Amino acid sequence: MSPITGAFNDAFIAETYERFRRNPESVDESWRQFFRFAQSLAGTASGAADESLLRAVAAAGALVEDIRHFGHLAVRLDPLGTSPAGAQELTPEFHGLTPSDLDRIPGSALGFPDATAADVVRRLRSIYASNIGFDIEHIEEEAERDWFRKVLEGGDARLTLTSEEKQTVLARLTEVDGLERFLARAYVGKKRFSIEGTDTLVPMLDAAIERAAQSGARHAVIGMAHRGRLNVLAHILDKPYARIFEEFEEKVAKSDAVDTGDVKYHLGASTTRTLPGGKKVELELVPNPSHLEFVNPVLEGVARALQRTNGTRDESSVLPIVVHGDAAFPGEGVVAETLNLSRLRGYRVGGTLHIIVNNQVGFTTDPQDARSTYYSSDLAKGFEIPIFHVNADDAEACIAAVWLAISYRTRFAKDVLIDLVGYRRHGHNEGDEPAYTQPKLYDRIKAHPTPREVWAKRLIAEGVVSEEESMRLADEMMRALDSIHTGLKGGAAQPAKQDAGEPGRTKPQQISTAVKPETLILVNERLLAWPSDFAPNPKLLKPLERRRAAIGDDGGIDWGHAEALAFGSLLLEGTSVRLTGQDTARGTFSHRHAVLHDFRTGAEFIPLQHLPSAKGAFEIYNSPLSETAVLAFEYGYSTAAPDSLVLWEAQFGDFANVAQPIIDQFMAADRAKWGQDSSVVMLLPHGYEGQGPEHSSARLERFLQLAAEGNLRVAYPTTPGQYFHILRRQAQLDPRRPLILMQPKSLLRLPEAASRLPELATGSFQQVIDDPARSPVPREVKRLVLCSGKLYYDLAAARANGTEAKHAAIVRVEELYPWPHEEIARIIDRYGGIEEVVWAQEEPRNMGAWSFVWPRLRASTGNAIPIRYIGRPERASPAEGYHTAHAEQQARIVTEVLAPASGGRETGAGSARAKKEAGRG
């Protein structure tokens, strides 16, 4: 390829040519090729070449490159007629060329034999500056750029439709347009977030599904927001028109599985499509809240889970499709987080097809106020994603772009994006008046024909269909919809489709999670074995070897050890395990070491992936520095992998609130809204140890506030044995619901918190643990102290160190939701002489479990025993920033809990000082 030069580089060209004449090796190979070719044109191998010809050839080469690079700026993308920006670099004049120059330069100088430079320029303009804007020159991989040039310039890419295909598209657009017109007429002013203006999205999805199936896909999963969703549900997911009409008329009966439900344009669906030739493809539209782009990583997790086949993953088997909004794509950070996952080994899915439904406005906000980039798609350039810009009124270009996109994904297993530039015929919703804020834009939209009308007019002009045929298609569609709608009148409500079982409103059933000692010993030995030529870090050998002794008579199974045994035992039973999070492979607190590294070579070895007779697969990955996208990915994975225990670990529990939309909109409410289940586990390090406001609290109170209708399980176990059992229980429980686990930090290696093999080999998870020092129950116990987590060990240590507290029994509430009412009531009955119940916690009064616990404790005590709170007073910040202040508060809490009983009926914050501090709030 000739060097790229411009019209103003004459002196540089001449100087370089002189150097070449004196010593060809003194210039770059591209210049050597260029000058040799120019000399051959001039008919001399050693004499002076025609400098004007050299300049013209170099300039023509620069023009060709600029057409490839900037041609997309000349494509007419706006259906409403806005002229493209263009670029001076696309003109011969910019490069100092005249038409005669282009006519006299042979195309072979530009890599195109049997043509002139003028022919080459015309041909490349027809490719790069015609009806598809190929925005691909930012891709750094030369192999990919070369592939595009070969496919586009060599004619391998089919960019036109046959007459039959054009008729099929017209029929599809007739259905799309007809449904929107009918809904507008039958349900005036009701929200539907119509697709009108980007109707070609539906035939584009058709094309993507069919082309991907030809490349081996057996499943396609789609994520999108509400714009156009009803049309996609009807025409891609086969949702019956009658069902959609019933939802508008609210005739759909509630099911027991979906209590509150959701608006119709948030719902998901699934179907099976039979393609020409008989191949079947499973299609799924993932449900999504109004939080637009937050479904993106959820969808990617679903796709990865579905790609699993017989212990391996086939990325070609599942096509993920994400439909974006033009304002949301650059505006919502979760988009960038998700794109960043696309090529990471723990999250890749072999490429996603992205389509931006570009309305050229975001609600009432114009593009100049919504983004700092020229295109709404420019964010994707930072992730090496090719971009195709298309005019939504040009159905042929839109479908050709899809064909090319799927071919690229098939070849390179990478993401690809189509920017579908259209408009929004109505306001943000059908009851909104867009002319308040975009009067000129909407004057143009009102005067503009629909995409279906544009396409029909084109086909009539081409002689593909007649005007009568076009009108007949539209009339038949409306008559069919009228007939269906009329048939619904007076009909009874149809039962809602029930995809899930009864909600888990009762306490989790007792499941045996014990594992035979010999099985655990076998797993333990395998976890301590590695290849003979593998050398773990010498510092790890001693702590790992301790695990061999810990499973014996001496005991001492710590948190990371119990977790590994739980995972290993599940793998043997056929449950796969997937664990991700920041620094998860080692563990934030260096307690896990699930991935060993050879200290000489850096090679990895994962013992849990080498268990003999394991029927399940084990995955563990360090995640990128992201909470939102990664938790959403694991949530999505869990919904599609009921055979797996899927866990996400926060670096510190405090950081989980970065992913709050995933917790609120998906994890807590999915069953109530969509009848969807997940069993994802959140591991959230939590505990007050003087590390400051951002390294103390996983915001337990927020999860408890969300807990209702059996939607979550929230626990704060205090021993490795309890952790072992609750992990194993989570893998077996039905219904499947997310498990929120407060995780320890200082307890990870605390000897007093360690477990012994019999605790894992017998029994099951205990929702409540009675005071081991108060059995049998002494008559002098007057105060029943209930607490969770690390505080128990602070209290037990103070009592063991000589604090007189015979009057107090310390009981651990290990699972807070579902609330263990019966177990607590039973313990209260055992301590028949108690005069007060104390809830003790480290967190401030307005945080932690207190607000959730207090009314439930009243019910568990029969409202007959005074209940008192002891903990930090109400605070705006969860923890102290200075260790001395932390120690003072912690000591005060312990002292008050174990102080002699006063016999009063105080239900306040504790000491006079605490009450005074609380009053300042």
Side-chain angles (χ1 to χ4, degrees):
M1 184 173 61
S2 301
I4 300 174
T5 63
F8 308 106
N9 289 334
D10 293 2
F12 175 71
I13 294 172
E15 178 186 341
T16 307
Y17 180 60
E18 276 305 312
R19 286 167 44 212
F20 167 78
R21 288 184 60 194
R22 290 194 299 269
N23 178 13
E25 298 301 319
S26 67
V27 301
D28 184 77
E29 173 62 21
S30 62
W31 280 108
R32 291 199 295 270
Q33 294 177 5
F34 169 64
F35 288 132
R36 284 171 184 148
F37 180 78
Q39 287 174 338
S40 69
L41 289 179
T44 176
S46 58
D50 182 347
E51 290 188 9
S52 66
L53 180 60
L54 288 178
R55 288 196 299 271
V57 172
L63 174 59
V64 164
E65 286 302 307
D66 283 346
I67 290 172
R68 289 169 173 148
H69 198 129
F70 301 115
H72 57 87
L73 295 173
V75 177
R76 292 190 172 273
L77 296 174
D78 185 4
L80 303 176
T82 302
S83 297
Q88 289 184 336
E89 290 87 344
L90 298 174
T91 65
E93 293 77 17
F94 178 83
H95 299 276
L97 290 169
T98 65
S100 61
D101 289 331
L102 293 174
D103 285 334
R104 73 185 175 115
I105 299 172
S108 54
L110 306 173
F112 293 85
D114 303 323
T116 66
D119 296 329
V120 173
V121 168
R122 277 192 294 271
R123 171 161 172 70
L124 294 185
R125 279 179 175 157
S126 73
I127 296 170
Y128 294 102
S130 178
N131 57 358
I132 301 178
F134 296 106
D135 201 350
I136 55 180
E137 291 300 318
H138 58 278
I139 299 174
E140 292 191 9
E141 288 293 331
E142 186 175 353
E144 295 179 35
R145 296 197 307 273
D146 287 347
W147 181 85
F148 273 117
R149 289 180 182 178
K150 177 176 178 290
V151 166
L152 293 173
E153 298 172 19
D156 293 343
R158 186 157 77 91
L159 303 178
T160 58
L161 306 182
T162 65
S163 294
E164 184 180 351
E165 289 167 339
K166 290 177 179 179
Q167 293 175 27
T168 300
V169 172
L170 178 61
R172 193 54 134 178
L173 289 177
T174 301
E175 294 172 341
V176 172
D177 180 71
L179 178 60
E180 296 294 354
R181 287 176 181 269
F182 184 85
L183 292 175
R185 188 186 73 191
Y187 305 105
V188 179
K190 286 197 174 183
K191 292 181 182 180
R192 67 182 192 277
F193 297 96
S194 87
I195 201 172
E196 294 165 280
T198 52
D199 307 44
T200 43
L201 173 66
V202 172
M204 289 171 73
L205 293 175
D206 286 331
I209 293 164
E210 184 170 349
R211 185 56 63 98
Q214 293 172 4
S215 300
R218 52 180 172 77
H219 207 127
V221 287
I222 305 169
M224 66 183 300
H226 41 273
R227 176 76 52 207
R229 192 179 186 96
L230 290 181
N231 228 299
V232 170
L233 281 165
H235 298 123
I236 301 298
L237 280 301
D238 300 326
K239 186 168 186 175
Y241 295 136
R243 185 73 171 183
I244 294 173
F245 298 159
E246 287 171 344
E247 290 171 347
F248 271 96
E249 297 181 11
E250 300 189 5
K251 283 189 173 182
V252 178
K254 288 197 309 179
S255 77
D256 292 329
V258 185
D259 288 351
T260 53
D262 201 351
V263 292
K264 50 192 163 291
Y265 35 80
H266 288 170
L267 302 178
S270 61
T271 190
T272 302
R273 175 175 293 194
T274 302
L275 300 173
K279 181 169 185 177
K280 295 183 183 298
V281 181
E282 301 297 322
L283 306 181
E284 180 179 354
L285 177 65
V286 179
N288 190 31
S290 284
H291 292 57
L292 301 178
E293 303 287 338
F294 282 84
V295 73
N296 303 359
V298 174
L299 170 91
E300 305 293 359
V302 171
R304 181 156 174 131
L306 293 174
Q307 288 172 345
R308 300 172 304 153
T309 305
N310 299 324
T312 61
R313 242 180 5 95
D314 180 4
E315 293 181 342
S316 68
S317 67
V318 181
L319 171 67
I321 305 173
V322 181
V323 181
H324 306 273
D326 55 310
F329 189 82
E332 295 195 339
V334 69
V335 176
E337 287 192 29
T338 307
L339 295 178
N340 188 51
L341 299 179
S342 65
R343 299 175 70 185
L344 305 182
R345 59 178 178 167
Y347 307 91
R348 58 170 293 127
V349 293
T352 297
L353 172 61
H354 301 269
I355 302 175
I356 295 179
V357 173
N358 192 336
N359 299 311
Q360 305 188 69
V361 64
F363 204 151
T364 66
T365 303
D366 291 318
Q368 63 263 30
D369 295 317
R371 63 177 186 261
S372 296
T373 57
Y374 180 75
Y375 289 119
S376 62
S377 56
D378 281 344
L379 172 69
K381 292 181 178 180
F383 297 92
E384 300 289 304
I385 296 173
I387 302 165
F388 312 146
H389 306 279
V390 289
N391 184 321
D393 271 359
D394 187 347
E396 184 170 50
C398 293
I399 291 171
V402 169
W403 288 342
L404 183 63
I406 298 301
S407 295
Y408 172 83
R409 179 192 185 260
T410 302
R411 173 67 178 80
F412 295 103
K414 286 179 56 181
D415 287 20
V416 60
L417 186 148
I418 300 174
D419 178 18
L420 177 65
V421 182
Y423 56 88
R424 186 188 67 195
R425 183 157 291 277
H426 307 288
H428 177 66
N429 61 65
E430 287 66 31
D432 187 50
E433 177 49 75
Y436 290 152
T437 51
Q438 281 82 26
K440 292 184 178 179
L441 173 65
Y442 274 85
D443 283 343
R444 293 159 63 197
I445 290 174
K446 288 177 183 177
H448 190 71
T450 67
R452 194 261 176 198
E453 290 169 338
V454 172
W455 185 244
K457 182 178 180 180
R458 173 176 166 177
L459 298 196
I460 292 168
E462 293 176 358
V464 175
V465 298
S466 66
E467 188 170 353
E468 291 74 20
E469 289 173 318
S470 172
M471 292 177 63
R472 178 179 53 79
L473 279 174
D475 290 343
E476 288 176 352
M477 179 64 184
M478 296 306 284
R479 282 197 299 271
L481 293 173
D482 270 324
S483 175
I484 295 169
H485 187 253
T486 301
L488 290 178
K489 295 301 180 182
Q494 298 297 311
K497 181 180 178 182
Q498 188 164 335
D499 294 323
E502 294 297 312
R505 288 183 179 149
T506 58
K507 67 177 183 177
Q509 63 267 37
Q510 284 298 111
I511 292 174
S512 176
T513 53
V515 179
K516 293 179 180 179
E518 55 268 30
T519 300
L520 293 174
I521 293 171
L522 172 65
V523 170
N524 195 60
E525 286 301 314
R526 294 304 305 176
L527 296 180
L528 298 175
W530 41 80
S532 57
D533 59 349
F534 185 88
N537 190 302
K539 293 182 179 179
L540 275 181
L541 295 177
K542 186 174 181 180
L544 288 176
E545 185 60 29
R546 267 202 302 267
R547 292 185 175 184
R548 182 170 280 114
I551 208 168
D553 295 338
D554 293 342
I557 298 172
D558 63 22
W559 218 268
H561 192 184
E563 178 188 81
L565 294 172
F567 290 165
S569 61
L570 287 171
L571 294 171
L572 293 180
E573 295 167 359
T575 297
S576 294
V577 178
R578 175 180 167 89
L579 170 60
T580 73
Q582 294 162 29
D583 313 300
T584 291
R586 190 202 74 174
T588 300
F589 309 102
S590 201
H591 68 287
R592 180 172 290 121
H593 294 291
V595 180
L596 302 178
H597 296 264
D598 189 308
F599 79 98
R600 302 165 306 182
T601 66
E604 292 184 351
F605 182 76
I606 303 175
L608 281 164
Q609 292 181 346
H610 297 273
L611 290 179
S613 305
K615 300 174 185 176
F618 180 72
E619 293 182 85
I620 185 167
Y621 298 102
N622 286 336
S623 78
L625 196 63
S626 161
E627 285 78 28
T628 302
V630 175
L631 176 59
F633 187 101
E634 303 309 336
Y635 164 82
Y637 190 103
S638 175
T639 65
D643 61 334
S644 298
L645 179 66
V646 182
L647 309 96
W648 174 76
E649 182 176 64
Q651 191 180 67
F652 282 83
D654 313 65
F655 305 149
N657 60 12
V658 178
Q660 204 66 46
I662 307 306
I663 298 165
D664 293 349
Q665 267 58 49
F666 290 91
M667 292 175 59
D670 60 349
R671 188 178 182 84
K673 293 190 295 187
W674 311 316
Q676 180 165 284
D677 273 327
S678 161
S679 58
V680 68
V681 180
M682 293 182 70
L683 304 179
L684 306 178
H686 174 89
Y688 282 58
E689 288 145 349
Q691 296 189 62
E694 274 69 59
H695 293 83
S696 299
S697 175
R699 300 287 184 172
L700 172 62
E701 65 278 358
R702 294 185 178 172
F703 295 101
L704 294 174
Q705 185 184 44
L706 289 169
E709 301 179 295
N711 63 334
L712 301 173
R713 301 180 183 114
V714 184
Y716 196 175
T718 56
T719 72
Q722 283 281 84
Y723 181 44
F724 171 90
H725 285 296
I726 200 169
L727 288 178
R728 288 184 48 78
R729 187 189 76 172
Q730 180 67 4
Q732 302 175 56
L733 276 178
D734 185 42
R736 302 169 60 237
R737 295 309 306 152
L739 171 62
I740 315 302
L741 280 182
M742 300 295 112
Q743 289 284 90
K745 292 175 286 185
S746 61
L747 301 190
L748 290 171
R749 300 175 184 85
L750 185 71
E752 291 77 7
S755 296
R756 302 171 66 88
L757 179 60
E759 296 174 45
L760 282 57
T762 59
S764 58
F765 178 75
Q766 301 176 67
Q767 293 176 285
V768 181
I769 300 178
D770 200 357
D771 190 336
R774 294 294 179 262
S775 182
V777 179
R779 296 182 179 275
E780 60 264 33
V781 171
K782 303 300 180 186
R783 177 182 300 154
L784 180 64
V785 179
L786 300 176
C787 65
S788 287
K790 181 184 76 69
L791 182 59
Y792 167 76
Y793 291 98
D794 293 346
L795 297 172
R799 187 169 61 182
N801 289 336
T803 301
E804 282 295 318
K806 294 181 179 180
H807 62 286
I810 306 171
V811 174
R812 287 167 275 177
V813 181
E814 300 278 289
E815 186 165 51
L816 291 155
Y817 186 81
W819 176 250
H821 168 75
E822 294 178 5
E823 288 81 355
I824 290 175
R826 230 182 341 259
I827 287 176
I828 290 172
D829 289 342
R830 287 185 59 208
Y831 293 94
I834 59 174
E835 298 175 354
E836 67 171 350
V837 172
V838 165
W839 178 261
Q841 66 178 41
E842 301 179 295
E843 303 89 347
R845 180 172 180 155
N846 57 319
M847 303 178 195
W850 168 245
S851 296
F852 175 84
V853 161
W854 183 57
R856 289 164 177 79
L857 267 181
R858 290 183 64 182
S860 297
T861 62
N863 206 24
I865 304 173
I867 301 169
R868 188 154 63 98
Y869 165 85
I870 297 177
R872 283 171 171 77
E874 290 187 356
R875 295 290 195 208
S877 177
E880 300 81 15
Y882 293 97
H883 193 274
T884 52
H886 157 78
E888 179 185 339
Q889 283 289 330
Q890 208 73 6
R892 176 189 63 76
I893 292 169
V894 171
T895 299
E896 289 190 22
V897 168
L898 299 179
S902 61
R905 297 177 65 86
E906 174 64 53
T907 59
S911 69
R913 176 176 176 180
K915 286 186 281 185
K916 182 178 179 181
E917 290 178 336
R920 293 173 187 163

